[in-house]
């Protein structure tokens, strides 16, 4: 199997896994940088992630324009993906989600912080992108390259960016890493909310603890990925 | 397939989708205006939505009286549907639900407000219908045309009306739109509750943001609808 | 089918329905008064409700003693059922559950109250049985006729009694009614909790509203019961 | 079937049951002391619990070193199991989990306490292991025998130990007992959280009540275990 074919297989799996885990519903997307061309990325045509197959994958350039004369309808928010791939050469995969537990943190002044090792990737923070700051009143979608660049700037060198009134994105150096982060951002939001509701003092991870676990995680991330592929892909 | 036949098919799908999404359980209903006669609407006989088939669909007039000599048992609350169809010529579909996350807002002085773009349809507010105001002590059901008219008056030009001690209704210009709103009203209630529980400042959508997204939503609403039909109908 | 055979069929269905709805897990029971002998009741042998079949049903007298020389292991808490059947001749069916959302109310000074029409049966209150009052330190189970009588006394003429540190019971004039109440007590507890957490003023049902709906409910209770039988039994 | 074969069968069942109940996801483990050699224990190779079969079970000594020249990749956290088996000769089974409702208590100053009889095993407390105290900044994992011994020391004679920023462990005198405790620790955390959120006074179990139920539980624990095996194993 060629490298592209294997990547497309994992991208399709990621779509189904994220739907199966409840991270994506009828909305949201997952993209991957092209394995042969760093200035191209792969993303499904506008379709519910649970229904995506190999045949639905399109190729885009860094301006999020469809390639190869592909005239199928792309996602309105493909500019999220192009914007991040341009600014972050280290990123291989981008997930955009509206998952229920994270949206409240995107609307709240309370920051999302790592409450256990699984969400160590949140250690540098999950900044909130406020689209009003640069663009005033919008429909909240990332609809063009200016929006995408502003979102990517807010993401900075972090793994996660929250989007006020909208959702969030996670990025990773591989498809499993970005999917893992999208899922555990959702879990962490639920756990953090529960911890706050207990009314006592909450201890979050120290940066050094989270940094150390992030390294460890590279050696074990294949385990949940293998389980998720077996269950959902 | 004739227009009526296609509408009945979508109405049956809406029943099963709303049950599959947990918006309806053994109670609640979804109706659609007759495609050929604006003064008629279609609604199942008194039956759990999950079990509804084509054969269960009845026709009603604007007074919510069964037509064509149909003697099957209708829903007690068919007057919800007639009341709204009379007052709102722009409405094609009405959903009435007791969904768990919304009922608390119907009982609380805290208003339901849009926390993300998916619930932009809440931008003009979700007024609370207090049946005691006009009718004193009742069993809380919308049992006659006076009840239905009062509920429709409280709904006004909004997309959603909460019913104290009871549930809520959403309306739409199409079956997918009303179903979408019934589902995302439920999601928004959960998200808003979670945001409030965090204890910080919560930013809701500005009216203009919600208005802009509402327009956008018309072009993408087929995506979740297609997914839901594939999964539940 | 003889009357007993039909009742046993519904009792088996009730076991499976309550498990399917998440009201019962490996623990809890549902019983029914014998249709021919008012001083006998039917209850499964000690078995997880989800696994109960016709062959598992035993007969007990009002002292909760197994009849007909049946030597199979009965539930430790059969005295809940005998105690209530003795004191409440109007009761046909008793459900005992540890369902998650209700247990917190059994441990809290905050009373369970009806937040919507579906839980109108809570209108006269859901008193909390504190086993310590009469029996001091126990394992919290209703293990003998004295415990059963005390629990039934606390239940009084209500439909629901909470048991501190343990769970709750609902009763009904029929199997569907007691099952309906067991399920909607659980839903109401969740809704009431959510309404309290919003932090505003909460409006509960007036006694007269709840009384009126309770009457209505008799004509529609067959609808969820039919759905539940189709799905779970 | 030899004793070892039966124990392995139950250990595989425990893996699948804990996954089915949502106590374990792609992470966490369950181990059992070897039935013939008190200084050996059985634990799967590094694999998602839901996928574990008989062939995946490895044998370890009390230093958590693989036996019989087995070169398959073991769990990084096998030292949790060795550490506890060394210190607690009464323990036959150890479960380690990151289950969602318990992690908040591991991060909070609010202690986990038994709110109903099912969680009587919490009566002596669920101390929180703070790995920083002895080891400073780590990746939070129990990676060596010093970590394992410190965790076991914090567990003491209790049935449950929480791990700050990480998860928890439960132990039992049998596989069903440790599994039961892992599951009901998770349920209790949810119930206790809900009770606290109601804002009233919360009554927890007295030590004597919990001690008495713990004895009772030995006679009924086969019931949920049988159900879980039928559903998930």
């Amino acid at each position: 199997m060629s490298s592209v074919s294997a990547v497309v297989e994992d991208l399709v799996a990621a779509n189904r896994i994220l739907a199966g885990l409840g991270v994506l519903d009828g909305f949201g997307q997952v993209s991957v940088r092209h394995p042969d061309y760093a200035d191209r990325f792969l993303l499904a045509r506008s379709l519910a992630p649970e229904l995506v197959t190999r045949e639905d994958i399109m190729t885009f350039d860094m301006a999020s324009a469809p390639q190869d004369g592909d005239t199928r309808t792309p996602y309105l928010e493909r500019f999220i993906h192009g914007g991040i791939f341009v600014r972050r050469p280290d990123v291989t995969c981008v997930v955009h989600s509206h998952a229920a537990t994270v949206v409240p943190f995107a609307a709240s002044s309370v920051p999302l912080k790592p409450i256990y090792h699984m969400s160590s990737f949140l250690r540098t923070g999950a900044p909130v992108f406020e689209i009003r700051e640069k663009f005033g009143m919008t429909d909240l979608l990332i609809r063009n390259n200016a929006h995408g660049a502003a979102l990517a700037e807010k993401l900075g060198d972090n793994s996660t960016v929250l989007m006020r009134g909208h959702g969030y994105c996670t990025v990773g150096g591989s498809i499993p890493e970005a999917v893992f982060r999208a899922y555990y951002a959702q879990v962490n939001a639920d756990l953090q909310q529960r911890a706050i509701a207990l009314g006592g003092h909450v201890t979050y991870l120290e940066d050094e603890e989270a940094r150390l676990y992030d390294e460890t995680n590279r050696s074990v991330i294949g385990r949940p990925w293998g389980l998720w592929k077996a269950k959902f892909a």
Side-chain angles (χ1 to χ4, degrees), chain A residues 117-118 176 180 213-227:
Chain A
H117 59 322
M118 306 308 290
F180 178 97
Y213 183 78
D214 251 2
E215 283 177 27
T216 295
N217 200 44
R218 285 192 195 102
S219 72
V220 295
I221 197 171
R223 205 193 311 154
W225 178 253
L227 174 66

Side-chain angles (χ1 to χ4, degrees), chain A residues 125-144:
Chain A
V128 179
F129 176 67
E130 171 51 271
I131 196 169
R132 285 181 203 160
E133 280 176 17
K134 282 205 179 158
F135 302 100
M137 291 297 111
T138 67
D139 67 1
L140 296 154
L141 299 189
I142 303 300
R143 287 184 155 280
N144 58 47

Side-chain angles (χ1 to χ4, degrees), chain A residues 74-127:
Chain A
Y75 288 116
L76 288 176
E77 296 205 292
R78 60 196 178 274
F79 303 96
I80 289 174
H81 303 267
I84 292 174
F85 284 125
V86 164
R87 192 189 165 96
R88 288 281 300 270
D90 61 310
V91 165
T92 296
C93 180
V94 177
V95 177
H96 168 53
S97 162
H98 308 156
T101 60
V102 180
V103 172
F105 282 91
S108 171
S109 56
V110 176
L112 187 67
K113 302 196 326 193
I115 199 168
Y116 74 155
H117 59 322
M118 306 308 290
S119 39
S120 289
F121 58 89
L122 294 172
R123 73 188 169 84
T124 56

Side-chain angles (χ1 to χ4, degrees), chain A residues 115 188-204:
Chain A
I115 199 168
N188 191 84
D190 186 40
L191 301 191
Q192 185 178 349
Q193 167 121 39
R194 287 173 174 271
I196 289 170
L198 288 176
H201 175 74
V202 182
T203 302
Y204 296 97

